[in-house]
Amino acid sequence: MNCKQVYRHICENLDENIHSARCRAIRKHLVSCPDCGAYLDSIKKTIALYKTIPTPKVPSAIHRKMLRVLTAEMARPVRQPARKQAHASR
Amino acid sequence: MTGYSSLTDAQLIRAAKRGDHEAFTALAKRYEETVYKFSIKMCHDKQKAAENLQDTFISVFRNLSSFVGKSKFSTWLYTIVTNNCLMKQRRRKLRDLEDPLEIYDEAPAHHGDRQRAPIARWEETPADLLVKKELRVALNAAIEKLPVEYRVVFVLRDVEGRSTEDTAKILNLSVEATKSRLRRARAFLRDKLQPYIGSHFERTT
């Protein structure tokens, strides 16, 4: 497997199917190619950075408003018909 | 509402379908953080995230009878919140959004060209990198530049940790199309962050 093939698949699969023949070939290539190793590491760190960014919790005012809106919706005597994006039969 | 918190999703859904509003409220409370945080990651706007939170649970309530449990409740919920997020953002025509990221189908310039500088290692850990304010700004700027159809794949798969198959199902895409968008999104974001971490390298195209 060459660098271009490895590039395509390390970005696509990362840690998925780690026992597949393709994954074994990628690991073998990475041992001898510092550039591909550095690239894979930077992709993994990019993902880790986005996973690590703190996300704010629901503010209490937003939580209370959601409950008010839901309570009003549940109290409606006649429901609006489901829209087409209603994801039927999921 | 004593006791609802110990019920499973399936039990709450069954009760809500029978008209138990407290069961539905318990379900909404259980997932409100998930929906809000996902919306923040997608919209980067607290006002839109708050609207999305309400819209999503109203949609869930109105359509609960159509949920028959073929997929996990969380998968169905992500489908609804994702659709709401995408509807709130300007949709681009497919041909307009595919072009800018097609360059990420090609390997970076070092491949097969030993005249070029090697790819710089990202020596610091993500925790060390996040201390840098300019990098935190760059992280937000980069993901906002990522077209929404790519951003949603990256957020679902890599940030929220859904499987590729689940992500494909949520977005009604093939697994192959999901992987292709994910590959381009990861490479796009990585390249946008590169100037803030190590020496830049040129792309082949």
Side-chain angles (χ1 to χ4, degrees), chain B residues 14-84:
Chain B
R14 271 198 300 277
K17 280 184 176 181
R18 289 195 302 265
D20 184 339
H21 291 172
E22 288 193 3
F24 187 80
T25 303
L27 194 65
K29 283 181 176 176
R30 182 172 294 176
Y31 283 99
E32 68 174 329
E33 290 290 345
T34 301
V35 170
Y36 184 75
K37 288 182 176 182
F38 175 76
S39 303
I40 287 278
K41 288 167 195 165
M42 281 299 299
C43 309
H44 289 262
D45 181 307
K46 288 182 180 176
Q47 176 69 32
K48 283 183 186 169
E51 288 171 11
N52 207 34
L53 180 66
Q54 291 174 30
D55 292 349
T56 295
F57 284 111
I58 287 175
S59 294
V60 170
F61 180 73
R62 289 180 183 171
N63 295 292
L64 196 62
S65 60
S66 70
F67 177 72
V68 292
K70 283 183 188 170
S71 59
K72 285 185 196 167
F73 175 71
S74 63
T75 303
W76 187 63
L77 181 65
Y78 268 107
T79 307
I80 293 175
V81 64
T82 299
N83 281 342
N84 281 334

Side-chain angles (χ1 to χ4, degrees), chain B residues 4-205:
Chain B
Y4 282 104
S5 60
S6 62
L7 298 183
T8 64
D9 289 354
Q11 288 170 321
L12 288 175
I13 290 164
R14 271 198 300 277
K17 280 184 176 181
R18 289 195 302 265
D20 184 339
H21 291 172
E22 288 193 3
F24 187 80
T25 303
L27 194 65
K29 283 181 176 176
R30 182 172 294 176
Y31 283 99
E32 68 174 329
E33 290 290 345
T34 301
V35 170
Y36 184 75
K37 288 182 176 182
F38 175 76
S39 303
I40 287 278
K41 288 167 195 165
M42 281 299 299
C43 309
H44 289 262
D45 181 307
K46 288 182 180 176
Q47 176 69 32
K48 283 183 186 169
E51 288 171 11
N52 207 34
L53 180 66
Q54 291 174 30
D55 292 349
T56 295
F57 284 111
I58 287 175
S59 294
V60 170
F61 180 73
R62 289 180 183 171
N63 295 292
L64 196 62
S65 60
S66 70
F67 177 72
V68 292
K70 283 183 188 170
S71 59
K72 285 185 196 167
F73 175 71
S74 63
T75 303
W76 187 63
L77 181 65
Y78 268 107
T79 307
I80 293 175
V81 64
T82 299
N83 281 342
N84 281 334
C85 275
L86 293 178
M87 279 194 298
K88 283 185 170 52
Q89 311 227 11
R90 187 171 64 86
R91 283 183 182 275
R92 300 183 192 194
K93 289 180 182 174
L94 193 62
R95 62 177 177 274
D96 292 337
L97 72 91
E98 293 288 4
D99 290 343
L101 272 74
E102 275 181 3
I103 60 163
Y104 295 101
D105 288 345
E106 298 296 326
H110 82 285
H111 292 273
D113 184 353
R114 302 203 178 278
Q115 303 302 310
R116 291 181 185 268
I119 289 196
R121 282 210 158 267
W122 291 21
E123 300 292 353
E124 294 166 279
T125 66
D128 291 337
L129 289 166
L130 273 178
V131 175
K132 298 178 182 176
K133 189 182 175 189
E134 62 173 11
L135 183 71
R136 294 201 303 273
V137 172
L139 283 165
N140 284 330
I143 202 161
E144 282 176 21
K145 280 183 192 152
L146 188 62
V148 69
E149 285 78 3
Y150 289 92
R151 192 188 316 157
V152 70
V153 173
F154 179 78
V155 172
L156 282 169
R157 175 68 187 86
D158 283 342
V159 182
E160 299 291 289
R162 312 298 301 191
S163 67
T164 304
E165 289 71 19
D166 210 17
T167 302
K169 197 172 182 179
I170 288 165
L171 296 172
N172 199 23
L173 288 173
S174 69
V175 168
E176 282 310 307
T178 303
K179 284 183 175 179
S180 169
R181 289 191 191 187
L182 187 62
R183 182 181 67 242
R184 291 174 181 178
R186 286 167 169 171
F188 174 91
L189 293 172
R190 183 255 178 227
D191 277 13
K192 290 287 178 281
L193 301 182
Q194 172 68 32
Y196 299 88
I197 292 168
S199 58
H200 195 61
F201 68 87
E202 295 172 20
R203 300 201 68 82
T204 47
T205 51

